[in-house]
Amino acid sequence: MKYFEVQDTPELKYAPKLRNWYGKFDVRNIRIDLFPRLPDMQLFITEPLESMVFTDIILSPFLLVSPMVYEVLRMYRERCFFKKIILLNQLQRESRLYYLPVLDETNQLSLHRVEYKNGFLYSERRDISGRKTELPLNLFWVRDSKKRHIIMSMDMADSLIRRGVRGLGLCEVELYYRE
């Protein structure tokens, strides 16, 4: 199975930016074991940008997905929980419903980016320790010492791309158990 890390895209430059979210919402509670501490529904005001576009995926300050992406996640029956988030753009006088997914997370894996040049595998695998693995999950988090990476299977990425999802950037990765 192939995996991809979800990344920024140029579209996300125009995605909603949450205003004054710090203090209302503790991002440390976005974990399977602590998700009951999160409110079931939360309203956030967005920065007043004239050119703002409600993308289907928002990565900052935490992962938010549109109802269409939410339906795809449910279709794949992933073990994940959701909280509702309403984003309000006061400048354009519109609001949208988003979902905050709370996913399985592991720190037992390391990621290796796969790069291609002119259609051929380009990345080197000299610095990899551990054995390559696959997980029976389509969407999950891999935590390293610096950040939390959102990992998606090729099947789920394909389902989202076929539906015309906006704001989905992908970089192919391989997963290895840490030694």
Side-chain angles (χ1 to χ4, degrees), residues 1-176:
M1 180 184 297
K2 286 190 177 188
Y3 294 99
F4 296 89
E5 180 181 2
V6 178
Q7 298 183 329
D8 280 339
T9 66
E11 289 175 306
L12 290 180
K13 181 171 123 178
Y14 302 105
K17 311 275 186 279
L18 307 187
R19 187 166 68 179
N20 300 328
W21 66 271
Y22 193 78
K24 293 182 186 177
F25 206 75
D26 191 349
V27 293
R28 294 173 296 185
N29 290 339
I30 304 175
R31 297 182 3 202
I32 292 281
D33 57 335
L34 297 176
F35 92 97
R37 294 182 184 177
L38 300 172
D40 289 333
M41 184 177 285
Q42 182 74 43
L43 172 72
F44 289 107
I45 307 295
T46 63
E47 292 291 334
L49 301 172
E50 190 68 42
S51 59
M52 187 179 80
V53 175
F54 284 105
T55 56
D56 292 304
I57 294 176
I58 298 172
L59 296 178
S60 179
F62 35 80
L63 177 63
L64 295 174
V65 299
S66 70
M68 183 207 26
V69 176
Y70 168 77
E71 289 303 321
V72 172
L73 296 179
R74 291 191 42 167
M75 179 180 74
Y76 277 86
R77 300 186 192 282
E78 287 300 298
R79 181 182 154 217
C80 96
F81 303 98
F82 296 93
K83 298 295 184 170
K84 292 180 180 177
I85 305 290
I86 297 172
L87 299 184
L88 177 64
N89 180 346
Q90 292 177 319
L91 184 65
Q92 296 175 349
R93 293 189 177 120
E94 73 180 307
S95 64
R96 294 283 167 90
L97 172 66
Y98 280 85
Y99 293 90
L100 169 73
V102 182
L103 309 171
D104 279 324
E105 180 174 7
T106 182
N107 61 1
Q108 303 299 312
L109 300 175
S110 61
L111 304 176
H112 175 73
R113 292 183 201 262
V114 178
E115 298 175 31
Y116 296 91
K117 188 173 188 178
N118 297 327
F120 295 99
L121 184 64
Y122 177 72
S123 55
E124 305 218 2
R125 295 183 172 96
R126 286 181 280 152
D127 59 342
I128 298 173
S129 61
R131 72 179 198 285
K132 189 175 176 182
T133 187
E134 292 182 0
L135 298 178
L137 300 170
N138 289 295
L139 187 66
F140 54 95
W141 286 317
V142 172
R143 180 173 291 284
D144 63 19
S145 61
K146 297 176 188 167
K147 72 178 237 177
R148 179 187 270 174
H149 303 272
I150 305 164
I151 307 301
M152 180 180 292
S153 72
M154 181 150 105
D155 292 341
M156 182 174 280
D158 183 53
S159 292
L160 292 171
I161 290 167
R162 288 178 185 267
R163 287 170 174 79
V165 70
R166 292 177 298 164
L168 178 63
L170 299 171
C171 175
E172 186 176 346
V173 294
E174 292 177 339
L175 306 175
Y176 291 88

